[in-house]
Amino acid sequence: MTETAARKAEVANDTVTKDVENVSGQRLKSYLDRIDRLEEEKKGLAEDIKDIYAEAKGVGFDVKTIRKIVKLRQMDTNKRHEEEELLELYKSAVGLD
Amino acid sequence: MTETAARKAEVANDTVTKDVENVSGQRLKSYLDRIDRLEEEKKGLAEDIKDIYAEAKGVGFDVKTIRKIVKLRQMDTNKRHEEEELLELYKSAVGLD
Amino acid sequence: MTETAARKAEVANDTVTKDVENVSGQRLKSYLDRIDRLEEEKKGLAEDIKDIYAEAKGVGFDVKTIRKIVKLRQMDTNKRHEEEELLELYKSAVGLD
Amino acid sequence: MTETAARKAEVANDTVTKDVENVSGQRLKSYLDRIDRLEEEKKGLAEDIKDIYAEAKGVGFDVKTIRKIVKLRQMDTNKRHEEEELLELYKSAVGLD
DNA sequence: ATTGCGGTTTTTGCCC
DNA sequence: GGGCAAAAACCGCAAT
């Protein structure tokens, strides 16, 4: 192999390698950026929620209790599904279906 | 006090009481609704993020590692280095490498 | 079938049914009790572990880092190195150091 | 400073350093070992519990349902405390204490 | 057989 | 710093 040919091969190799790294690196970065952005928004919402709690606290509400209420309301929504699920479960366990 | 005046006072009292209850009850509900709504949105974003991880996994990336990177990028550089150093220190202290 | 014979049959049936219910009920309870007991012990050990972390923290160790070390030691050496390499790879891919 | 004195100093320094490293390294290892041991036991118990579930399943019980039962029993125990706690919480929220 | 998924436990970060 | 809520790792199951 001539010196020139060898050089070309090396370059070609490098290029390929770089391309491979680039495409996956690029892609990875893209995912990371999208995730970061959504995480940002999520964090923003968390802030907003915190602010509401703070505001409520400011007018005399007990934050901890409000949290409990929020949770209870969610439960009241989820609970139904949960209980239905449990019922189904037990029914199937006894061979009722 | 005449009967009419007394009546008025009672009514007034009731009204005030109701108003007080109303305003705080209303207010509390308002807070709860706002919180619920934001929580909903937050949950939606969490879903989106999960989807991205799934997508990345689909093209061969390691999700666990991506999560680590996300955290590292969020973390302050100095703090990150500190933690890394501390880990290395402990590792060498117990002969782990 | 005479009345007496029928009576006997019923009784026999009841007895069998009860026995069946008893044996499975008994058995189920036995399982539940054994599980409860073991869960108790497990919880106790979790407490003990927590205490050790607290103690270590008391003399100046960083709990978070210790946790990492515990995990690393549990992990197979090869797997550990693989993960570390993968992390380094991703880090360099996104220009993190 | 004579050569001998310098030597002694070095040795002393080394010794001190080693001692310091030793004591903390030793101590760290000691914590790690204790944790490991307890984790082992904990894992063992988890195994035992798993075995019981397997055994129950082997004689025809539905594992998922048993798990639910176990949880319900725990709740029945914990629930009381939980409810008491919640009561206290609301009481304090209303200024009753 | 492999991989996605639900649920459980463990870990981390946060607020008081 | 201690308790609490959110996130993440882990595990068994199921479905393909």
Side-chain angles (χ1 to χ4, degrees), chain C residues 32-34 36 55 73, chain D residues 33-34 36 38 55 73:
Chain C
L32 291 171
D33 290 340
R34 287 163 67 195
D36 283 349
E55 190 186 336
R73 299 215 312 174
Chain D
D33 290 341
R34 286 165 67 195
D36 284 349
L38 293 172
E55 191 186 336
R73 285 171 120 214

Side-chain angles (χ1 to χ4, degrees), chain B:
Chain B
M1 196 190 277
T2 63
E3 196 271 341
T4 311
R7 188 76 193 84
K8 271 188 187 165
E10 276 171 24
V11 171
N13 248 326
D14 275 357
T15 305
V16 168
T17 305
K18 259 185 197 157
D19 276 1
V20 167
E21 279 168 1
N22 271 346
V23 309
S24 49
Q26 290 279 100
R27 200 146 194 176
L28 181 54
K29 263 190 200 164
S30 156
Y31 288 135
L32 290 172
D33 290 341
R34 287 163 67 195
I35 290 168
D36 283 348
R37 195 174 180 290
L38 293 173
E39 292 276 7
E40 278 304 306
E41 290 185 46
K42 193 150 78 86
K43 193 150 293 188
L45 288 174
E47 285 292 312
D48 295 345
I49 292 168
K50 223 182 59 176
D51 289 347
I52 297 180
Y53 279 115
E55 191 186 337
K57 177 179 191 158
V59 300
F61 286 107
D62 183 74
V63 171
K64 196 172 163 185
T65 307
I66 297 186
R67 282 187 192 281
K68 286 184 190 165
I69 300 279
V70 168
K71 275 215 175 166
L72 291 176
R73 299 214 314 173
Q74 288 176 332
M75 206 183 298
D76 177 69
T77 304
N78 290 332
K79 191 170 201 290
R80 181 156 55 80
H81 286 205
E82 271 176 43
E83 287 192 9
E84 283 168 353
E85 279 170 37
L86 197 56
L87 181 60
E88 288 311 309
L89 181 63
Y90 281 31
K91 276 171 80 171
S92 77
V94 298
L96 200 65
D97 48 18

Side-chain angles (χ1 to χ4, degrees), chain C residues 23-25 27-29 31-36 38-39 41-43 45-46 48-49 52-53 55-57 59 61 66 69-70 73-74, chain D residues 23-25 27-29 31-36 38-39 41-43 45-46 48-49 52-53 55-56 59 61 66 69-70 73-74 78:
Chain C
V23 311
S24 50
R27 198 146 194 178
L28 181 54
K29 261 189 202 167
Y31 287 134
L32 291 171
D33 290 340
R34 287 163 67 195
I35 290 168
D36 283 349
L38 293 173
E39 292 275 8
E41 289 185 47
K42 191 149 81 85
K43 193 149 292 189
L45 288 174
D48 294 345
I49 292 169
I52 296 180
Y53 279 115
E55 190 186 336
K57 178 180 191 156
V59 301
F61 287 108
I66 297 186
I69 299 279
V70 168
R73 299 215 312 174
Q74 287 175 259
Chain D
V23 309
S24 49
R27 198 146 194 177
L28 181 53
K29 269 187 200 163
Y31 287 133
L32 289 171
D33 290 341
R34 286 165 67 195
I35 290 167
D36 284 349
L38 293 172
E39 291 274 9
E41 289 185 46
K42 192 149 78 84
K43 194 149 291 186
L45 288 173
D48 294 346
I49 292 168
I52 297 179
Y53 279 115
E55 191 186 336
V59 301
F61 287 109
I66 297 185
I69 306 261
V70 168
R73 285 171 120 214
Q74 288 176 338
N78 298 342

Side-chain angles (χ1 to χ4, degrees), chain A residues 5 8-9 19 22 34 38 40 61 65 75 83 86 90:
Chain A
K8 271 187 187 164
D19 277 1
N22 270 347
R34 287 164 67 195
L38 293 172
E40 277 304 306
F61 287 108
T65 304
M75 263 212 284
E83 285 181 10
L86 199 59
Y90 279 46

Side-chain angles (χ1 to χ4, degrees), chain A residues 39 42 64 67-68 71:
Chain A
E39 291 275 8
K42 194 148 77 84
K64 205 168 171 184
R67 283 186 191 280
K68 295 264 180 184
K71 191 159 281 184

